[in-house]
Every structure is written in structure tokens, then in C-alpha cells.
Amino acid sequence: MGYTPLAGTRAPVRVWTDPYTIEEQAARQLRNIGALPWVQGVAVMPDVHFGKGATVGSVIAMRQAVSPAAVGVDIGCGMSAVRTSLTAGDLPDDLKSLRTAIEAAIPVGFAKHDDPVDPRRIRGLEQRGWDAFWTGFDDLDRRVAQLESRARHQLGTLGGGNHFIEVCLEQGGPDAGRVWLMLHSGSRNIGKELAERHMAVARGLPHNVGLPDRDLAVFLAGTPEMDAYRRDLWWAQEYARRNRAVMLALLCGVVRDQFPQVAYDEPISCHHNYVSEETYDGVELLVTRKGAIRAGKDDLGIIPGSMGTGSYVVRGRGNPDAYHSASHGAGRRMSRGQAKRTYSTADLAAQTAGVECRKDAGVVDEIPGAYKDITEVMARQEDLVEVVAHLKQVVCVKG
């Protein structure tokens, strides 16, 4: 479909959805972002919705500056998935025991591991770089020094909210019925703590006085504040990547215990709340994706729907107008509070029929009806990605 320019902005803001369908608060945020003097351009994904400071579903390219609110508090949040050799016929009719086994192996919600993860004890987990990674904790902002033990115990845990673990079946094509494993999580509490501390520092810097939204405060290149943020940011992004890698290895182990014949393809992993150094038209930029994945030419990515719909494995087309990006999911169409007021547990059970998952009041805010139509979101970005596989969950674990 291509993009539509958003009118009334200093920097170009390109929108991959109908601009008139964007909620007023989100549209105001986008115009505020487009007015910042450091912004080269903004690409708005079809799952766009209101967020703190910057909209979720936005790709912000800046010159020599970065806004921590444009990354968000769950630094490095993203997706991982792996295709297995199993097919639907290998799975039992009753999948509750599989869900229970996953929940026993991977702590969810506020739970954490009793003992920190030892990578040497997890089959299939990469063994390189762990000592250097944890040594890097000593270089982080001193205000989080006391959180190292918690960060170690939370590594390899899911969290709550929209984070999930799924067992999915491929839909259509020559591999119809093939089983996939998929999960969505980020940098847990340590990423949040680092993000909030740096956002507070940015708001107090003199060059951010008079911004249209104080939550859009930026750090400037060549300053100690920028150096400190980028140091902590890179570490938190790596924590998130390793967190997903540990969970995926544990998940593969659970499935292997129940299906010893299983084999696995190479995993796919992608951040969707992060910063990257990239060059467009010869200009070096800091590209922030908040609720967006990188979709460079032939990049593989994952775009999930909700806990009762489907997800997509995609290959990027490398569209420079979107800064080589695509949406990170369906995107919310109503707040968590509104979802709880609108839907009941009976609605949740109906909308997740055929999925082995929680169907209680604690996850009503994650009901599929609270999200946009993933098929429409995908149709809006055909010039950004091509579909490799369409997946439908049969097991969904939520925190």
C-alpha cells in the first residue's frame, strides 16, 4: 500500500496506515516527534498507538541524538522463534500437560529462578561471552548496582503483560501443520530501572527545556550523559537477547523431554524496542525502533498477533522510506483498563477457543479483542515485508 505523509511536521513523518484512524493522542505525539530539531525522519508502522513520550509503532531516525523515551522502558524487548521437526499429528489432543511443563521450567509474571541460570547446564544454549557479559554489569549506572542479584535470577524468565510463550502450527503451504516455538520478552526489571533513571536525567538537561513533550528529552552525542546512556542501553539490549536465548533453550528442552525425536532449525530473533546505528543517503543516524522490527533486505523477523489469533514470520524487503523497518505486532486498539471494562472471562474463553491457555480475569486485558486485526496490519505493510510463514498458536503461556 505504501505510506501517507503526515501533514504539519518539520521532518518527514511517513505513515503506513490511514492517518485518520490514528488516535488523537498518538497523532499529537507523532507531530511532537517530527518537530524535534534532531529528527531526520519518522516511519509510522500500521500497529501504531499511543505510548509514553513516543508512540508505540514508531521508527525515529535522529542525527547525533537519541531519546530514551523513544526506546521505552523494556529495552531490547523482542521475539524469538524456532521451527521444529514435529507436526500437528505428533501433538496429543490434550495440551495442558505441555503448558504446565513450560510454566514449571520458565518462571512467569513476577517469579524468578531459584538459582541463577548456569549456561553450561542448558543444552543448545550458546556458551560464548557469558563471563564478559556479566562483568559488564560493573560498568552500569551505579544506582542499579544493588540489582545484580535480581538481574541474574530473572535471566531466563518471561515476565507479564503482553509477554508470552507459544507453541504454534504453521498454516497453509507445503509445511502446513509444522510445529513452531515462539516467545516474546525483554530485559525484565533491570532494563526498566536503567531506562527510567536515564529518562529522568534527560528531562533535566538544559537543551531539553521548552520541548513540546518533556518525555521526548534527548541526549546529545559527545556528552557524558549520552555516553552513559548508550553504555547501559547496549548492555540491556544484550541482556534481553540472552534472556530470550535462555528461555528458548529451556523451552526446546521441555519439548524434547516430551518428544525425544524432535529436531530444531536455526532460531530467529529480533528486538523491537532498541537503538541501532544505521546510514541512509550517506547520513549516519541513530535509529530508534519502539514497537518495530528491522526489516532490511532478507532480514528474518517475527510479527505476532494476540493470544487467540495468529503470527507471522517475515522477510524484510529493505524499504528505505521506512528505515528498513516493519511493525512489531498487531498493536493495541484499547488500553488495558478499557479492555477489562469491556470484556469478561467468558469473552476471553470464546476468543481463545482451541488454545490451551489461561482464561481467567488476570489476562482479560490481553484478550484478542483489545488488539488490532493482525491481517489488516499485515496488508498495510506488503511493501515492507513478505510473509514466510503464517502461524496459529495451540498453546499460549502468559505471566
Side-chain angles (χ1 to χ4, degrees), residues 42-314:
V42 182
V44 183
M45 300 295 100
D47 60 340
V48 62
H49 61 91
F50 178 74
K52 182 176 177 60
T55 44
V56 179
S58 61
V59 182
I60 305 169
M62 288 192 179
R63 300 179 305 276
Q64 302 295 302
V66 68
S67 169
V71 181
V73 295
D74 195 358
I75 298 171
C77 185
M79 300 287 305
S80 293
V82 64
R83 189 173 72 164
T84 80
S85 60
L86 302 175
T87 64
D90 295 314
L91 300 179
D93 292 336
D94 187 350
L95 293 167
K96 186 171 183 178
S97 64
L98 179 57
R99 176 164 76 97
T100 301
I102 294 170
E103 291 170 342
I106 302 173
V108 302
F110 292 106
K112 58 184 182 295
H113 289 285
D114 292 336
D115 298 304
V117 165
D118 182 349
R120 296 168 297 180
R121 296 180 179 271
I122 302 178
R123 180 177 172 182
L125 182 63
E126 66 172 287
Q127 298 297 306
R128 295 173 299 177
W130 284 97
D131 289 342
F133 167 69
W134 281 117
T135 298
F137 193 97
D138 296 335
D139 297 326
L140 299 180
D141 190 306
R142 287 295 83 204
R143 294 170 294 176
V144 302
Q146 77 281 8
L147 299 177
E148 181 175 1
S149 176
R150 181 174 183 177
R152 285 181 178 269
H153 284 80
Q154 282 194 322
L155 188 79
T157 67
L158 183 66
N162 62 356
H163 294 164
F164 64 79
I165 300 168
E166 290 183 342
V167 179
C168 306
L169 299 179
E170 189 164 339
Q171 306 293 294
D175 289 317
R178 185 70 75 90
V179 175
W180 287 70
L181 308 180
M182 178 182 294
L183 58 87
H184 169 214
S185 192
S187 53
R188 307 299 286 112
N189 177 258
I190 189 62
K192 174 179 178 293
E193 294 288 343
L194 287 168
E196 289 180 342
R197 282 161 171 74
H198 286 289
M199 288 163 69
V201 170
R203 284 194 292 266
L205 296 176
H207 62 260
N208 290 315
V209 173
L211 292 181
D213 182 345
R214 65 193 298 265
D215 284 326
L216 288 176
V218 305
F219 293 122
L220 300 180
T223 64
E225 294 85 4
M226 172 71 107
D227 292 342
Y229 176 62
R230 292 185 68 178
R231 176 199 64 213
D232 291 359
L233 174 76
W234 299 149
W235 188 91
Q237 288 179 181
E238 179 65 4
Y239 182 98
R241 186 189 71 81
R242 289 179 181 268
N243 182 46
R244 290 195 300 274
V246 170
M247 282 191 288
L248 191 61
L250 292 173
L251 178 59
C252 287
V254 170
V255 173
R256 189 183 295 110
D257 287 342
Q258 299 202 12
F259 309 94
Q261 78 276 22
V262 69
Y264 297 105
D265 290 352
E266 278 295 311
I268 302 167
S269 184
C270 58
H271 290 324
H272 53 224
N273 286 2
Y274 75 112
V275 178
S276 177
E277 298 173 345
E278 301 177 19
T279 301
Y280 296 91
D281 295 327
V283 180
E284 295 182 0
L285 300 170
L286 287 169
V287 178
T288 300
R289 295 181 176 91
K290 182 178 183 179
I293 63 171
R294 179 170 170 83
K297 180 66 174 173
D298 295 330
D299 285 347
L300 290 176
I302 307 159
I303 303 177
S306 63
M307 63 186 291
T309 59
S311 298
Y312 293 86
V313 177
V314 298

